[in-house]
């Protein structure tokens, strides 16, 4: 059955988008629309909003519109230092993606309009956002196996209001929209009216600026990816050649560092500036350093991101430890992130052009387990098999970065984080192959 999904908060904008989408779907034989509602539990009216969503979808379905509701409850942590806005957004996106996949759809529509985009651009500028932030919300983006589309980003808010009024749509008003503790509300309530009074075209011009930055973003990301490919370690995916990196011009160095930290889900603008200065100084001094707040380390001219705490918390030169950890079997049948319970991380499987494993060699099962001592590893086809400790030393992998699991097929070692895929398992160039990468929890 052909189907798509609409993020449905019960507000005016999402109600209008759900209604117009359901009406259009009714003209396509067999088409169905899933309304995806996330119950955050932050508002005392959250239960009433869910009841409203259920009643609305049921009423529309009774009138012949091909729509049904899926809902998900999430719990937002209110720990100190955590942005409620950011955490709610993160959990909402996770829940929407999960529901879309469960419904078997890969197209999700969202109702943000031109005013929302202009506000996002201005907020990012006020926060000192970089290129990715100033590009604001993408119109069309693939994330988590779902295509996120915002068809109304060029549409003024007034057009959405007019549609809702024309069709007498019932929607809910979120009382938190008047809470000035939230930055977007302060902008919307206090700044935006004065801005429009002084600059009537501000909404249009700010969205045009966001679009121009968005046009430049793919080129920047392609350059960053190329730089990481050139200055990263081929055998040790995720590492960065700090010596070559430090020789780059300041602006390029910051952009590469931004992309590298982003790969590991850590960092921020202040860390970009700090590491841009401290890493070259460390290279000129003792040659090694650690930034435990990030889990970033410098050793033998290579920057690495290692787990925070646990066995990774030691210092360079500590002896290897074989901590007891569970053996975990993974039945890998597709690319993606495969969590390894008990190991504080996951195995990322992705299609690569070389240095990977033929998929059929993984589908019979891959076992993650701790080092027991005496394992042999081949760094590449035709190279000698040597014990892991010597291979780690040759590759410059410090002792405190050797605590990740080893991955075996039967009794044969397939993949070692920090070293790569064993040469005896590497597929030849030109055939379909999957690369393996260990991602520790942040």
């Amino acid at each position: 059955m052909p189907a798509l999904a609409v993020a449905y908060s019960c507000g005016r904008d999402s109600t209008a988008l759900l209604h117009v989408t359901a009406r259009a779907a009714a003209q396509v034989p067999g088409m169905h629309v899933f309304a995806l509602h996330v119950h955050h539990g932050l508002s005392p009216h959250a239960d009433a909003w869910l009841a409203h969503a259920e009643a609305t979808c049921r009423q529309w379905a009774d009138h012949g519109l091909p729509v049904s509701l899926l809902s998900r409850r999430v719990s937002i942590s209110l720990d100190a230092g955590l942005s409620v806005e950011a955490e709610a957004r993160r959990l909402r996106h996770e829940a929407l993606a999960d529901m879309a996949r469960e419904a078997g759809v890969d197209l999700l529509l969202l109702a943000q309009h031109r005013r929302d985009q202009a506000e996002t651009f201005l907020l990012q500028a006020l926060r000192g956002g970089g290129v990715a932030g100033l590009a604001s919300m993408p119109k069309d983006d693939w994330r988590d196996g779902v295509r996120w589309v915002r068809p109304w980003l060029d549409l003024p808010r007034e057009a959405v209001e007019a549609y809702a009024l024309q069709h007498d749509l019932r929607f809910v008003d979120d009382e938190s929209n008047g809470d000035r503790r939230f930055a977007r509300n302060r902008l919307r309530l206090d700044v935006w009216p004065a801005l429009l009074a002084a600059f009537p075209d501000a909404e249009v011009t700010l969205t045009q600026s966001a679009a121009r930055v968005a046009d430049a973003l793919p080129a920047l990301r392609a350059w960053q990816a190329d730089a990481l490919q050139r200055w990263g370690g081929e055998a040790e995916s995720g590492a960065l050649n700090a010596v070559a990196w430090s020789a780059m011009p300041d602006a390029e160095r910051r952009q590469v560092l931004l992309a590298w930290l982003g790969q590991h889900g850590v960092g921020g603008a202040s860390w970009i500036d700090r590491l841009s200065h401290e890493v070259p100084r460390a290279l000129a001094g003792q040659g090694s350093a650690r930034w435990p707040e990030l889990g970033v380390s410098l050793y033998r001219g290579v920057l690495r991101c290692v787990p925070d705490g646990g066995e990774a918390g030691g210092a360079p030169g500590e002896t290897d430890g074989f901590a007891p950890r569970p053996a975990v079997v993974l039945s890998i049948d597709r690319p993606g992130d495969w969590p390894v319970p008990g190991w504080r991380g996951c195995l990322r499987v992705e299609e690569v052009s070389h240095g990977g494993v033929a998929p059929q060699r993984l589908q019979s099962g891959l076992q993650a387990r701790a080092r027991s001592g005496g394992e042999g590893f081949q760094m590449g086809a035709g190279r000698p098999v040597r014990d892991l400790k010597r291979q780690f030393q040759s590759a410059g992998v410090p002792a405190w970065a050797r605590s990740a699991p080893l991955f075996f097929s039967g009794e044969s070692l397939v993949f070692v984080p920090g070293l790569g895929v064993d040469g005896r398992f590497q597929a030849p160039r030109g055939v379909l192959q999957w690369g393996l990468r260990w991602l520790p929890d942040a």
Side-chain angles (χ1 to χ4, degrees):
M1 176 182 68
L4 54 82
V6 175
Y8 178 41
S9 68
C10 298
R12 179 199 59 222
D13 301 340
S14 66
T15 300
L17 180 60
L18 179 61
H19 186 260
V20 73
T21 303
R23 290 179 65 210
Q27 308 304 313
V28 180
M31 177 63 74
H32 192 78
V33 179
F34 291 96
L36 308 184
H37 180 80
V38 180
H39 183 300
H40 292 98
L42 289 174
S43 169
H45 306 297
D47 288 339
W49 296 345
L50 176 56
H52 173 90
E54 293 170 341
T56 298
C57 291
R58 185 167 54 248
Q59 179 186 23
W60 289 358
D62 290 343
H63 285 80
L65 294 182
V67 61
S68 59
L69 180 74
L70 295 176
S71 64
R72 177 70 57 84
R73 291 176 182 262
V74 299
S75 178
I76 297 177
S77 172
L78 299 180
D79 293 341
L82 190 65
S83 165
V84 175
E85 287 179 287
E87 183 68 359
R89 182 170 53 252
R90 183 186 69 81
L91 291 174
R92 181 169 62 251
H93 286 178
E94 285 184 1
L96 289 172
D98 286 344
M99 287 189 286
R101 288 190 294 263
E102 289 172 9
V105 302
D106 60 9
L107 176 59
L108 173 62
L109 305 184
L110 301 101
Q112 287 95 351
H113 47 65
R114 191 172 68 190
R115 177 71 61 84
D116 296 320
Q117 184 75 323
E119 291 173 350
T120 299
F121 178 84
L122 197 53
L123 282 170
Q124 288 292 334
L126 291 170
R127 291 166 178 160
V131 176
L134 293 173
S136 303
M137 295 179 287
K139 291 182 179 179
D140 194 333
D141 187 34
W142 279 96
R143 283 185 294 124
D144 304 318
V146 177
R147 184 183 178 193
W148 302 65
V149 176
R150 297 175 172 86
W152 286 355
L153 274 189
D154 294 323
L155 197 69
R157 184 186 67 178
E158 292 76 13
V160 181
E161 293 174 338
Y163 181 89
L165 183 62
Q166 177 187 352
H167 294 277
D168 193 26
L169 300 180
R170 296 181 57 203
F171 53 88
V172 301
D173 285 315
D174 186 345
E175 77 282 353
S176 69
N177 288 337
D179 190 340
R180 284 178 166 81
R181 289 178 300 172
F182 301 125
R184 187 177 289 270
N185 290 344
R186 294 197 299 274
L187 175 66
R188 185 172 291 167
L189 298 172
D190 300 331
V191 177
W192 198 256
L195 181 63
L196 287 182
F199 301 95
D201 294 331
E203 181 177 307
V204 173
T205 55
L206 289 173
T207 54
Q208 288 174 343
S209 293
R212 293 190 177 102
V213 177
D215 284 344
L217 186 57
L220 173 61
R221 285 177 170 164
W223 180 87
Q224 289 172 324
D226 180 68
L228 290 177
Q229 179 84 16
R230 284 185 284 118
W231 304 133
E234 182 171 329
E236 186 182 351
S237 179
L240 184 66
N241 183 332
V243 176
W245 166 81
S246 65
M248 302 174 75
D250 287 348
E252 294 182 13
R253 192 163 67 223
R254 287 192 295 272
Q255 289 299 326
V256 171
L257 188 58
L258 175 66
W260 183 73
L261 291 175
Q263 281 186 341
H264 298 282
V266 298
S270 61
W271 277 108
I272 302 299
D273 293 336
R274 178 176 167 180
L275 292 177
S276 292
H277 292 93
E278 292 183 4
V279 172
R281 285 205 299 267
L283 285 171
Q286 293 183 339
S288 65
R290 295 200 71 209
W291 294 266
E293 307 97 314
L294 288 182
V296 169
S297 64
L298 173 67
Y299 183 64
R300 290 192 181 181
V302 176
L303 276 173
R304 298 176 179 86
C305 197
V306 300
D308 183 24
E311 293 80 13
E318 288 185 351
T319 59
D320 301 341
F322 306 137
R325 291 287 184 87
V328 179
V329 177
L330 305 176
S331 296
I332 297 173
D333 58 5
R334 64 187 184 280
D337 290 346
W338 296 81
V340 183
W343 283 92
R344 298 174 59 218
C346 70
L347 181 68
R348 173 162 293 177
V349 181
E350 53 197 348
E351 189 169 328
V352 296
S353 60
H354 63 279
V357 184
Q360 58 269 24
R361 303 193 73 174
L362 299 179
Q363 292 167 356
S364 59
L366 203 60
Q367 186 182 74
R369 61 178 189 250
R371 289 174 64 190
S372 59
E375 295 91 352
F377 184 85
Q378 186 181 58
M379 288 296 293
R383 300 180 67 177
V385 177
R386 304 170 68 188
D387 66 82
L388 274 183
K389 186 168 185 177
R390 294 174 65 192
Q391 297 285 29
F392 279 135
Q393 291 172 342
S394 296
V397 179
W400 38 264
R402 305 175 191 177
S403 60
L406 308 182
F407 292 85
F408 292 81
S409 176
E411 294 303 314
S412 299
L413 184 57
V414 176
F415 170 67
V416 177
L419 297 179
V421 173
D422 188 286
R424 293 164 290 186
F425 272 81
Q426 291 182 11
R429 288 179 180 267
V431 303
L432 177 65
Q433 53 190 280
W434 292 345
L436 306 176
R437 182 149 51 107
W438 174 250
L439 299 179
D441 291 339

